[in-house]
């Protein structure tokens, strides 16, 4: 038996967990009609297959109708969920993993204009900044109803074969009662800690009396809100002890912080550039104070940190949740001594930011996650070995190379630069975003494993490619910054990529015109303002940086506000003129009737990229398909069969930003779904 601390079994009451790694509760927003159907099932089972000890499915499954889904949550208040849950628990158990589900009432952390349009309830009228609803102050009959709803939902989960349920008590109704900041009630549910904890205890008692002892019951709760006037650490330790002493729960899942604002949420679930394992020591303190089974997750992205968490005795079970979105087979790779092959979570938080924008959770660099029904995590070997030539070693080109290599093809990549990475290499120049480089490094290592040849400093001409005698050519040349958007003065502006790459020195009084709304503008602003310049970011949009999304915006704002960068929304830069050594920026508005000027010494335009596609158009007439991709075959997962030119020498495809400016995930998805069928 292995001596690896992570691979030791753990006895949780009557359950034996096969190792120490769990996926903590999270809602990837895959439900259909509020039910965990085939897609949800496939996603969950893939992680069980990968060897995780326990998967906690469904973050924040709703127990009541007045806890309507804000990110496509499961509806645990419906009886029809039981067979769907049963299908999932049977399949997960078959793979040897345990499975639990998280139940909640969101309280004020939702909106009244969702679901059945019921008023939002909370123990005070205080509004949560993130979801903006002004809650109704909860009444006695609401409390009774919701306690019963929790017990009913838990009973449904037990009937569905779950090993247990976890209650969410950080930022949701349960801890809205516990926190002095959100509880304005008089006794019996307000005032003293006894009273503030009464609701949670009543819910636990109601559930326990319904489900019996042979069912795991846990609480995921904040043991330190880290907010003035809120539950502090000493009260958090007292809460932890009381939960243990109640005899009603089987483990504690420790959170530190608060989630009512984007900034608070980002400190609870840190993203790239923030410290790894920031709350692990705190979880260890709770374990030491209670001597009770303790679980924890918060940016434990790699196996070494997870191993430390267990070996040091800080926690009993360690969560690697986003890490499993990136690579569902972590435990299997540890067992097979292939840790170095684990696809690394880079903390990009594309997954989590998307659910708050109403989308499904996708991993920035694993396009198979959440698409298990159509995209493989392990790419099968091709029947016939082909020669594949790829132009460009950015994320799209390298993903195509990795997948084609894993298929067993002979693969040659031409890269004009001296290093791989394309735009990601530039992105990673920002110290806060350097984890992005692992997207490239992991692919380079995989390409080596599969014998892919990568030629650097190699500008591919049509003849170079033809000389390789390829069966398939994939153009993944990306794009170049597109700044040609003004009616006059395009030659006077620089691009955000010029600044980020260091090719152009920052000015001292700078206007950044950003209508792409992506990271590049903010990254350039940080660089310019960091060099001591005055910076204004202007956008014609209603809000700035819409593509950056909530949690990714937090570190930028923390930096840019300190640097006094200003934001101007709803104005459009129209033209630029030279005036001595200054620039005059002429500004209008899409709403009309406005004409203003700014006098600056540098104008930066961020307008995405324009495809670098010369080589594609040169090769097009020589290909069998004239570059055409059958969308139907692509979507159906079938090999490409378009023939427009039977005399052609090879199939030709174009992917990523070489087609149109999109993002890293889109580039990688383009590559995976094309190359997996070649
Ligand atoms: C897409 C997504 C949805 C999540 N939803 C929930 C949720 O509903 N309830 C919850 O307690 N945590 C939720 N989480 C937080 C995770 O359980 C976990 O605490 C967090 O991702 C930090 O752990 P990690 O760094 O290992 O990913 C979610 C995380 C992700 C990525
Ligand atoms: S999107 Fe980023 S944070 Fe989320 S799982 Fe993927 S790599 Fe990790």
């Amino acid at each position: 038996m292995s001596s690896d601390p992570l691979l030791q079994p753990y006895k949780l009451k009557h359950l034996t967990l096969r190792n120490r790694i769990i996926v903590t509760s999270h809602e990837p927003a895959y439900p259909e009609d509020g039910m965990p159907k085939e897609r949800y099932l496939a996603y969950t089972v893939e992680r069980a297959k990968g060897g995780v000890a326990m998967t906690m499915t469904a973050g924040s499954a709703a127990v009541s109708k007045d806890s309507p889904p804000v990110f496509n949550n499961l509806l645990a208040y419906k009886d029809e969920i039981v067979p769907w849950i049963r299908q999932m628990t049977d399949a997960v158990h078959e793979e040897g993993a345990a499975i639990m589900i998280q139940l909640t009432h969101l309280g004020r952390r939702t909106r009244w204009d969702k679901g059945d349009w019921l008023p939002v309830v909370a123990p005070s009228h205080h509004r949560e900044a993130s979801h903006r609803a002004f809650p109704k102050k909860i009444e006695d009959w609401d409390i009774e109803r919701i306690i019963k709803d929790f017990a009913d939902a838990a009973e449904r989960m037990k009937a569905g074969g779950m090993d247990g349920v976890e209650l969410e008590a950080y930022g949701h109704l349960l801890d809205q009662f516990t926190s002095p900041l959100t509880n304005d009630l008089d006794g019996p549910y307000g005032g003293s800690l006894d009273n503030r904890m009464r609701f949670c205890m009543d819910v636990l008692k109601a559930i326990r009396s319904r489900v019996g002892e042979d069912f795991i019951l846990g609480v995921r709760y904040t043991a330190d809100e880290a907010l003035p006037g809120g539950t502090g650490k000493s009260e958090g330790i007292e809460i932890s002890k009381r939960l243990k002493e109640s005899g009603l729960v089987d483990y504690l899942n420790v959170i530190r912080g608060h989630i009512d604002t984007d900034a608070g949420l980002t400190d609870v679930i840190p993203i790239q550039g923030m410290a790894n394992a920031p709350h692990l020591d705190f979880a260890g303190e709770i374990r030491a104070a209670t001597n009770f089974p303790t679980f924890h997750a918060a940016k434990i992205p790699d196996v070494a940190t997870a191993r430390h968490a267990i070996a040091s005795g800080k926690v009993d079970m360690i969560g690697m949740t986003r890490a499993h979105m990136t690579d569902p087979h972590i435990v299997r790779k540890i067992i097979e001594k292939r840790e170095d092959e684990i696809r690394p979570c880079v903390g990009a938080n594309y997954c989590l930011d998307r659910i708050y924008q109403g989308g499904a959770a996708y991993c920035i660099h694993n396009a198979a996650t959440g698409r298990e029904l159509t995209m493989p995590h392990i790419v099968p070997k091709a029947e016939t070995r082909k020669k594949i030539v790829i132009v460009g070693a950015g994320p799209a080109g390298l993903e195509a190379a990795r997948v084609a290599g894993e298929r067993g093809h002979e693969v040659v990549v031409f890269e004009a630069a001296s290093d791989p990475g394309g735009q990601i290499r530039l992105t990673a120049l920002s110290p806060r975003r350097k984890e992005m480089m692992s997207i490239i490094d992991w692919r380079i290592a995989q390409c080596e494993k599969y014998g892919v040849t990568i030629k650097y400093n190699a500008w591919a001409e049509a003849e170079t490619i033809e000389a390789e005698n390829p069966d398939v050519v994939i153009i993944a040349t990306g794009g170049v910054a597109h700044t040609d958007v003004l009616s006059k003065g395009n030659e006077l502006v620089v691009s955000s990529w010029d600044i980020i790459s260091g090719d152009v020195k920052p000015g001292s009084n700078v206007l950044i015109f950003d209508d792409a709304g992506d990271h590049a503008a903010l990254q350039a602003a940080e660089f310019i303002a960091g060099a001591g310049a005055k910076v204004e970011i202007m956008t014609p949009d209603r809000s700035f940086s819409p593509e950056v999304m909530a949690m990714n915006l937090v570190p930028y704002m923390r930096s840019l506000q300190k640097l006094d960068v200003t934001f101007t929304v709803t104005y459009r830069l129209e033209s630029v003129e030279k005036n001595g050594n200054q620039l005059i920026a002429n500004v209008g508005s899409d709403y009309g009737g406005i004409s203003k000027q700014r006098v600056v010494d540098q104008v930066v335009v961020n307008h995405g990229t324009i495809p670098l596609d010369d080589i594609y158009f040169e090769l097009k007439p020589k290909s069998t398909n004239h570059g055409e991709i059958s969308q139907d075959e692509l979507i159906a997962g079938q090999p490409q069969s378009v023939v427009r030119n039977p005399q052609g020498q090879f199939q030709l495809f174009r992917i990523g930003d070489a087609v149109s400016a999109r993002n890293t995930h889109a580039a990688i998805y383009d590559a995976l779904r094309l190359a997996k069928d070649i």
Side-chain angles (χ1 to χ4, degrees), residues 54-169:
M54 172 152 74
T55 177
M56 294 194 176
T57 188
S60 316
V63 300
S64 304
K65 292 189 192 68
D66 56 357
S67 175
V70 266
F71 38 86
N72 193 10
N73 313 51
L74 289 176
L75 305 180
Y77 58 79
K78 293 195 169 178
D79 288 335
E80 66 185 87
I81 200 169
V82 176
W84 295 110
I85 294 289
R86 171 57 72 180
Q87 164 172 274
M88 184 181 289
T89 56
D90 282 351
V92 167
H93 287 143
E94 185 93 346
E95 297 296 340
I99 179 165
M100 289 181 60
I101 188 166
Q102 187 182 65
L103 297 179
T104 203
H105 191 295
L106 292 159
R108 66 177 190 157
R109 192 175 167 74
T110 183
R111 297 183 59 91
W112 46 265
D113 57 358
K114 301 269 175 192
D116 293 309
W117 283 61
L118 294 166
V120 163
V121 291
S124 74
H125 290 298
H126 304 304
R127 171 199 217 187
E128 193 219 49
S130 286
H131 291 84
R132 309 177 56 80
F134 292 102
K136 163 196 164 178
K137 199 163 167 186
I138 201 162
E139 294 180 67
D140 48 1
W141 49 267
D142 289 314
I143 293 176
E144 282 167 27
R145 167 177 60 79
I146 294 170
I147 292 172
K148 181 175 174 300
D149 285 348
F150 265 106
D152 289 346
E155 197 174 349
R156 283 183 201 105
M157 297 306 125
K158 189 172 184 194
M162 284 286 170
D163 293 304
V165 298
E166 174 178 272
L167 304 186
E168 209 282 15

